[in-house]
Amino acid sequence: MNWQEAIERTVTGLGYDLVETERAPRGLLRISIDRLPIEASAATQAPAAEREFINVDDCEKVTRQLQHVLEVEGCAYERLEVSSPGLDRPLTKAADYQRFVGERIVLTLKLPFEGRKKYEGMLLAREGGWRMVFTAGAGAQAVEKALDFSLDEVKEARLVPVLDFKGRRFAAAVAPENEMDGDRKQ
């Protein structure tokens, strides 16, 4: 068994999805993991904002197990880095595309389509492949278009990060005022 198979077997055995493995310079072995998709029967298509993300405890758990496995397998490395795939998670296999249908992605094609390789839009499934719906043009000339593609045509695909700071802003603004009011009344 090679080191990649050992890593995949270990990560999936611990209940995580292996997103990427990379051997970087100076002996760095970089691995990104994600939670497995929520079962449809357990939750009805939870939106991206409600999905549970990888935390430090998850990374530590996987790191400890991989250290033992890689030693037994005789994999030479200097440092092991286990992390989440980030908000701009790469889509690397067909299961990733299926999991993130309905999400916004950035897609880079191997060959240009209509003079360009990079597109951003909504990922949809279609029979025999995938479709991205995107807006071409701006203002009054904006037109919604569809791009049908297969995974063989894709150079890279990533989720478009969705950032929402409203909850943090509201909590930070409320807390100091309440504390100050309490101090004044005494």
Side-chain angles (χ1 to χ4, degrees):
M1 177 183 328
N2 69 28
W3 64 273
Q4 290 172 322
E5 291 172 355
I7 290 170
E8 186 167 5
R9 187 185 71 228
T10 303
V11 169
T12 57
L14 290 170
Y16 299 97
D17 182 27
L18 178 64
V19 178
E20 287 183 305
T21 59
E22 175 191 1
R23 278 199 170 273
R26 297 186 174 183
L28 174 62
L29 181 56
R30 185 176 291 137
I31 297 161
S32 65
I33 60 172
D34 201 358
R35 298 238 181 242
L36 290 172
I38 299 170
E39 293 292 328
S41 60
T44 57
Q45 300 291 327
E50 295 175 14
R51 283 195 295 267
E52 205 174 319
F53 297 104
I54 291 295
N55 60 38
V56 173
D57 294 334
D58 297 318
C59 295
E60 182 181 359
K61 177 180 174 181
V62 172
T63 298
R64 289 183 191 277
Q65 190 64 35
L66 282 175
Q67 287 172 332
H68 297 295
V69 169
L70 294 172
E71 184 177 336
V72 169
E73 293 296 325
C75 176
Y77 67 96
E78 296 287 323
R79 296 174 299 148
L80 176 62
E81 179 183 293
V82 177
S83 65
S84 78
L87 294 176
D88 63 340
R89 182 196 199 279
L91 306 180
T92 57
K93 53 191 176 270
D96 294 341
Y97 286 82
Q98 188 60 47
R99 176 179 177 182
F100 294 107
V101 164
E103 301 284 341
R104 293 191 61 78
I105 67 167
V106 173
L107 178 75
T108 305
L109 299 170
K110 291 177 182 174
L111 299 172
F113 171 72
E114 293 186 354
R116 63 186 234 211
K117 291 183 180 183
K118 198 167 193 174
Y119 292 87
E120 181 178 325
M122 184 74 63
L123 175 65
L124 303 172
R126 68 173 183 83
E127 192 173 322
W130 306 97
R131 173 173 286 165
M132 173 187 274
V133 177
F134 63 96
T135 304
Q141 284 79 30
V143 178
E144 194 168 273
K145 290 188 169 189
L147 169 65
D148 292 344
F149 63 95
S150 69
L151 298 186
D152 294 337
E153 298 172 292
V154 176
K155 179 178 181 182
E156 180 183 41
R158 292 185 167 274
L159 292 177
V160 172
V162 177
L163 303 174
D164 180 13
F165 297 111
K166 289 181 182 178
R168 291 185 96 187
R169 192 174 345 138
F170 178 74
V174 171
E177 288 178 24
N178 291 343
E179 290 173 14
M180 289 174 60
D181 288 342
D183 290 341
R184 285 187 203 145
K185 291 178 185 176
Q186 292 179 349

